[in-house]
Amino acid sequence: LGRRIRSDPMQARDCFQEALTHQDSAIFHLIVGNSFLPREENGPVDEANLRAAREAFDRGSSSPCLLPAIPSVAKVKAARMEERLIREHGAIELRERLLARLQQALHLENLGPLEASEYARIARSLNEKELADALLLLGLDRFPASRELQWARTEFLTSQERFDDALSLLDELLALDPRAVTGKQKKKQFEADQEHARELRQEVLTRKAAWIENLSTSRLPLVQSPSR
């Protein structure tokens, strides 16, 4: 039935009603809920479908038998759709509910790097900067080696004009000893990550220089024209 839903999204709503009778099938709820959401992020979003998907996700994620990655991906995808509805339609009530869930994420024991980085991005898009920072710090505290979170925090710090903090984070990454990395594939990934860190560092320096120049220009005294 799950395969049928994925191949024929038009049956999703009927299948969802059927899924509600299967209280013990958490994965089933997630599959059905996922079928409500467009596969492409620029696809149409229907609020009723989103609500039904959220209920399916909540039912699914309440089961301890699920692999952590399944509800994480599902909830992140739903949060992205909710963010779009808020941005495009100004849904105030939906914004409050989404922010409440992002706040609750700070207390989740199984919060993964994907959720932490994406929830932080969404919080930042909703102008909740302190919440975004808290989510990134929590994620890095639990997953200090996550490059995804490190890049996300670098971008966040730069956007808040905290250039020195961003540079400090990148310098820590660039100081890592490549000899500690074993395995051909891991070494290749490490080299790619280090190159990306160097590019980010140069970008931060460029933005910092532009910010300083703009700040200096704005402080220049106005030149008054001679009176006639």
Side-chain angles (χ1 to χ4, degrees), residues 31-172:
I31 293 174
V32 175
N34 191 59
S35 69
F36 279 114
L37 301 178
R39 294 202 172 273
E40 300 297 331
E41 289 197 12
N42 59 353
V45 180
D46 180 78
E47 191 166 0
N49 283 355
L50 185 65
R51 196 179 304 113
R54 168 57 63 185
E55 184 175 352
F57 296 147
D58 289 342
R59 287 175 178 272
S61 62
S62 66
S63 172
C65 71
L66 279 177
L67 292 174
I70 297 176
S72 296
V73 171
K75 287 193 173 185
V76 163
K77 187 173 182 181
R80 287 172 181 166
M81 296 300 104
E82 290 172 318
E83 178 196 8
R84 281 189 51 205
L85 277 175
I86 294 167
R87 186 175 64 248
E88 295 172 5
H89 305 290
I92 298 176
E93 183 181 350
L94 183 60
R95 183 183 189 277
E96 295 304 315
R97 291 203 302 268
L98 178 56
L99 282 177
R101 282 197 296 276
L102 297 184
Q103 288 281 1
Q104 292 170 1
L106 292 171
H107 307 287
L108 292 177
E109 294 183 0
N110 61 342
L111 183 72
L114 171 64
E115 290 170 295
S117 62
E118 193 60 21
Y119 288 173
R121 184 196 63 75
I122 293 173
R124 180 179 154 196
S125 75
L126 298 177
N127 204 31
E128 296 290 335
K129 299 172 184 177
E130 291 185 4
L131 176 58
D133 200 18
L135 286 163
L136 288 172
L137 288 173
L138 176 62
L140 282 170
D141 182 61
R142 295 182 181 180
F143 306 95
S146 170
R147 289 302 175 105
E148 181 180 11
L149 285 168
Q150 291 161 353
W151 306 147
R153 179 148 172 79
T154 299
E155 173 56 31
F156 173 80
L157 292 171
T158 304
S159 71
Q160 302 305 302
E161 298 176 348
R162 294 167 57 183
F163 302 108
D164 291 338
D165 290 338
L167 291 170
S168 177
L169 175 58
L170 291 171
D171 286 342
E172 288 181 13

Side-chain angles (χ1 to χ4, degrees), residues 186-196 198:
K186 289 184 177 180
K187 286 184 177 180
K188 185 176 180 180
Q189 184 60 54
F190 178 82
E191 291 172 358
D193 288 339
Q194 294 301 88
E195 179 61 28
H196 185 56
R198 283 189 286 270

Side-chain angles (χ1 to χ4, degrees), residues 200-216:
L200 276 179
R201 192 179 191 283
Q202 185 57 50
E203 181 181 339
V204 173
L205 286 171
T206 301
R207 292 174 66 174
K208 179 181 179 181
W211 177 77
I212 293 175
E213 181 179 359
N214 183 62
L215 191 64
S216 301

